[in-house]
Amino acid sequence: MIVRLGPALAAAVVLTASVPAHAAAPAEPVPEIMAALGDSISAGFNACGWYVSCTARSWSTGDHAAVSSHYLRLSKLSGTLQKHNLTFAVPGSTSADLLGQVRKAVAAKADYVTILIGAVDACARTEQAMTPVATYRRRLDTALAELRAGLPRARVFVASIPDVRRLWQAGRNNPLARTFWQVGRICQSLLVRPTSTRRADTERRARVRARVIDYNRAAAGACAAYGPACRTDGGAVFAYPFTLDQVSKWDYFHPNTAGQRVLAEQTFRRGFDWIDPR
């Protein structure tokens, strides 16, 4: 069960989710090549197998019908994109790896790029090991600058990082979830001692969540600086109330097929308006 947020935390969600989207712009032609950049979420990790990437079930570039990804939705509008869905997202990637992925997208001449990065920056071994917000923003600015220079006509979509504290709220009373978190040492900055109600642990979880909020604000700022060719989801993924039914039962952390479908739905309708050439 999802625990209802208190007033202060609810306000933080609203603030993050209300990052203004770019003003309405003319519809865009359907891309010919798209690329997914980011971490395990965009790679579909654990969405179809035991500790493997399942790119076919990626919310961005997947071709599995049950996910209804950006790729499949765009392919229905035009045949130009079919089979041109590239996944450069790699499990375990942090914002430090984004530039290398951007260079691959540039080399592939992608004209639509999705980015979801930052969960691993927050889900470090300890709270102290989390990436500083200024470093995260600098890395995104550098990567986006290279993307704009190499692919000046590309459209870019930046998805917000999910609320990892909500995952703790959903799974803290589930013995299997707690076991997987402990044995797999998953997101220890947040999920260590999941049943503890001590003040120190409660405040630690709040600080990790606040770091994710700050990353989302930084990513939205980097996207705004990029210009009208970049869109965000306005915090929709962060605000979505994910449940255990939407995460993999192999780690109780990564989105399963249902979770990937939610990501696709929450992001696609907040992205670009695309021209149907038919």
Side-chain angles (χ1 to χ4, degrees):
M1 179 179 294
I2 299 298
V3 177
R4 189 176 299 277
L5 300 178
L9 294 181
V13 172
V14 172
L15 180 60
T16 304
S18 63
V19 174
H22 289 285
E28 300 279 347
V30 175
E32 296 184 359
I33 301 172
M34 72 171 293
L37 313 184
D39 53 31
S40 53
I41 298 176
S42 295
F45 188 77
N46 270 1
C48 71
W50 174 263
Y51 279 76
V52 295
S53 293
C54 302
T55 56
R57 305 198 188 196
S58 166
W59 64 275
S60 173
T61 50
D63 59 9
H64 194 283
V67 174
S68 194
S69 67
H70 286 221
Y71 165 70
L72 287 180
R73 294 171 192 240
L74 291 170
S75 294
K76 291 179 181 178
L77 296 179
S78 172
T80 60
L81 182 60
Q82 292 181 11
K83 305 300 182 182
H84 295 147
N85 50 330
L86 307 173
T87 305
F88 298 127
V90 177
S93 294
T94 70
S95 55
D97 302 300
L98 184 59
L99 181 59
Q101 295 180 16
V102 160
R103 289 170 175 160
K104 292 180 180 179
V106 170
K109 296 180 169 40
D111 54 348
Y112 179 46
V113 177
T114 68
I115 299 172
L116 173 48
I117 195 80
V120 184
D121 291 86
C123 284
R125 296 184 304 278
T126 65
E127 178 189 353
Q128 293 71 26
M130 293 189 299
T131 302
V133 177
T135 301
Y136 176 84
R137 172 62 189 267
R138 184 176 67 253
R139 290 170 174 172
L140 262 65
D141 283 337
T142 300
L144 287 175
E146 180 131 347
L147 184 62
R148 184 171 51 219
L151 299 170
R153 300 182 63 183
R155 281 67 51 88
V156 181
F157 182 86
V158 179
S160 56
I161 306 161
D163 184 353
V164 290
R165 185 177 180 274
R166 190 184 297 275
L167 177 66
W168 166 77
Q169 292 172 327
R172 61 180 174 171
N173 295 320
N174 184 301
L176 280 175
R178 295 197 306 267
T179 298
F180 274 100
W181 295 345
Q182 179 179 1
V183 173
R185 298 188 63 79
I186 295 171
C187 197
Q188 292 297 280
S189 59
L190 184 96
L191 297 178
V192 68
R193 296 185 294 279
T195 60
S196 172
T197 57
R198 293 175 57 241
R199 179 175 177 179
D201 289 315
T202 299
E203 292 180 346
R204 169 180 50 80
R205 296 181 196 115
R207 288 192 297 269
V208 174
R209 183 176 187 271
R211 184 63 58 92
V212 172
I213 291 174
D214 287 342
Y215 288 161
N216 283 334
R217 286 176 175 151
C223 184
Y226 187 95
C230 185
R231 303 286 175 85
T232 75
D233 67 5
V237 170
F238 177 85
Y240 187 83
F242 285 96
T243 69
L244 291 188
D245 290 335
Q246 294 159 333
V247 297
S248 171
K249 297 307 182 287
W250 288 305
D251 61 13
Y252 285 85
F253 184 78
H254 291 91
N256 59 16
T257 299
Q260 290 285 346
R261 184 180 182 89
V262 166
L263 289 168
E265 291 172 348
Q266 291 296 311
T267 54
F268 190 80
R269 60 194 178 94
R270 291 175 171 84
F272 295 91
D273 291 324
W274 302 98
I275 295 174
D276 183 345
R278 293 173 297 179

